[in-house]
Amino acid sequence: MRLSLDRLSRRAGLAAIPLVLFAIPWTPARIAGVFLTAGVLPGLGLVTHPKMSADAALGIGAALSPVIFATATALAMFAGAGLREAAWIASAVSLVLFVILAGRSPAFSREGRRSLAGASMVLIIAAAYALSLPLADAWWRMREDSWFHAAVADKLVRDGLPLTDPYFAGLRLQYMYAYHALVAACASLAGIDYFRAMILVNAMAIASTVF
């Protein structure tokens, strides 16, 4: 078995999968498309190399992808785009990076397949423990700092940049907001609320940690 990204046409085909998922009028499909676009593919394009094992490429790629996507979203907004337009621009940038930059990929050795299978099992268990309560209970989704982060994301969507504090009218926000750009973009693309978008971003963090 080989995780092959050697051909441009094959990479383009993989990059088309999220676009197909976005077009399906079913929220889980759009969420899966966002996960691939913002959480896997752009970073994988940067780090895929014959000397790197496939599982290492997945791990590092999953760690870099949200940073790339959030940065592209913020830069598009600095250039004057609204959040929804910035989210689509970031999606295009992420997928183009994957198609253009993904190089020759290493073969999956037997040991590598076992490692990937083990990491996948750990990921499923970790996701079940970390995400089941927030998905099942609104109180778990909205408790503590979630209100603040949702308010900042909503302020970013409604007013754009420069970002002002949602709790103090007219005061510039004294807080980093790349995370909120990522949350707001994921919510816009997937058609979900900010609280569920935070769960999606947490899932990306879990994936990068496990792999």
Side-chain angles (χ1 to χ4, degrees), residues 10 14-15 19 27-28 40 64 97 104 107 112 124 127 136 138-139 190 196:
R10 187 166 295 168
L14 288 173
L19 300 178
T27 300
V40 178
L64 290 175
L97 282 176
R104 293 182 59 84
I124 292 171
W139 184 83
R196 288 182 172 84

Side-chain angles (χ1 to χ4, degrees), residues 9-208:
S9 59
R10 187 166 295 168
R11 299 197 298 269
L14 288 173
I17 293 175
L19 300 178
V20 173
L21 293 172
F22 287 144
I24 298 174
W26 187 46
T27 300
R30 294 197 298 267
I31 290 173
V34 174
F35 186 88
L36 291 172
T37 303
V40 178
L41 294 181
L44 187 61
L46 289 178
V47 302
T48 303
H49 190 274
K51 295 182 179 180
M52 182 176 292
S53 65
D55 51 345
L58 282 172
I60 299 173
L64 290 175
S65 290
V67 178
I68 296 169
F69 187 85
T71 301
T73 301
L75 289 176
M77 294 193 72
F78 274 117
L83 188 281
R84 183 167 180 79
E85 293 76 18
W88 282 110
I89 291 170
S91 298
V93 169
S94 296
L95 296 178
V96 168
L97 282 176
F98 172 73
V99 172
I100 293 176
L101 297 180
R104 293 182 59 84
S105 56
F108 261 130
S109 64
R110 179 176 298 180
E111 182 179 345
R113 288 196 295 270
R114 290 176 178 173
S115 176
L116 183 61
S120 298
M121 291 180 63
V122 172
L123 174 61
I124 292 171
I125 295 171
Y129 273 110
L131 306 179
S132 57
L133 281 176
L135 285 171
D137 192 322
W139 184 83
W140 280 93
R141 289 195 297 275
M142 300 177 182
R143 64 195 293 267
E144 297 183 352
D145 289 347
S146 296
W147 282 108
F148 169 74
H149 295 308
V152 173
D154 185 63
K155 189 72 171 175
L156 188 62
V157 172
R158 289 188 293 111
D159 298 343
L161 299 175
L163 187 59
T164 56
D165 196 309
Y167 296 113
F168 296 94
L171 178 67
R172 292 284 291 272
L173 182 68
Q174 307 297 306
Y175 197 87
M176 58 291 235
Y177 52 86
Y179 168 77
H180 304 92
L182 176 61
V183 168
C186 289
S188 176
L189 291 171
I192 55 180
D193 60 49
Y194 303 122
F195 299 103
R196 288 182 172 84
M198 283 184 261
I199 296 174
L200 176 55
V201 174
N202 288 343
M204 296 177 192
I206 291 172
S208 65

